[in-house]
Amino acid sequence: MKDSLACEGRMNMGDKLSLQKIIRCGAVFLVFAAAACFLVLRGTDMRTVWEALAKTSVPFLIGGILMAEVFHLAEGINLRLLLQSFGHPVTFWQGMKYAYIGFFFSSITPSSTGGQPAQLYAMKKDGIELSHGTLALIGELASFQIAVFFMEVMAVAALIQGKVTPQAELLVLAVLGFLLNILFIAGLLAVMFSHRLKDRLLYLLSAAVNRLPVKNKTKWHEKLKETFHDFQTCADLIRRRPRMMGKVFLVSLCQVVCWFSIPYMVCLAMGEHGVGYLQVFLLQTVLFMTTALLPFPGAAGISEYAFVRLFSGVFTKNPMAAATLVNRGISFYCLLAISGAMMVLLWRYKGVRKMSKFV
């Protein structure tokens, strides 16, 4: 969802994503989701899984769903704040429409590449300039990544102290995900405080691309330049409107805290009281770090695998398959269903009945 970096913020409205391509992306997502479900349930006693699911506390499940829905709510509020600061009279439900569209298309496309283009298309249909829409998306994304970064610093400290001990492969993915976010923050700070530092960082990254065994180096260089351009526009926005960006950051902080707290609500729903809130929160942060680099639609497969590996010591009274289904069902699939339904409802409410093409 949010794993796509600012380089995806600058979208070309001429690059149409046809309905056929949307269907293909959806089909690929369903394949990944089905495979993930199969792997989770493989070798488990389905009777014990259903018994565990039947005993879950409905009030805590509802609480988890409400905390998950804060993800949509926070993004909608932030996009509305940013777009209103550019002079667009965006309503609450318009902001929510953009949030639902972004989540839905980010979830079903590899590397979350479909969300921001679809949001820009919807904004364009509402009369919002592409430059303002792009800047709002970059600002919202930067705020989210900075909020996540503070949580990741806590998780890294726990890893160093041995309070969280993931398996080797997950540790490597988590470290790489953390380093990726550091690059994002470093790029943003570089263009905020020093054009010389920005140019130096761009030069070092370009040199690294030249040394790496990657194809189409020209495309990589162009992406780097576009990314730093986006950093510059976001930095200018922060400098010009610090108070407004402070509000956006606080909303993003609430968004991240609620989203990372969902596994603890699952623990309470399933009667698991052996591990405290902070430990569960840190484990979820590490899980998020492990999925940052992988291009699977909706992080399907890797999220379930990482959850089983990281939380096996937390869910001791219930089958891990049941805990995984409940957690993933609340934190992702429920949000996906809500976003799809609300997206269609809000789009039809605006009188637009055909969503044929997205950027």
Side-chain angles (χ1 to χ4, degrees), residues 80 83-92 94-95 98 126-128 350:
R80 185 190 181 202
L83 290 170
Q84 283 184 336
S85 73
F86 301 141
H88 298 285
V90 175
T91 67
F92 170 79
Q94 276 182 296
Y98 305 145
D126 287 342
I128 296 172
K350 292 295 292 180

Side-chain angles (χ1 to χ4, degrees), residues 282-301:
L282 292 172
L283 286 171
Q284 174 58 33
T285 305
V286 173
L287 189 153
F288 181 85
M289 293 160 64
T290 63
T291 63
L293 290 173
L294 300 178
F296 304 144

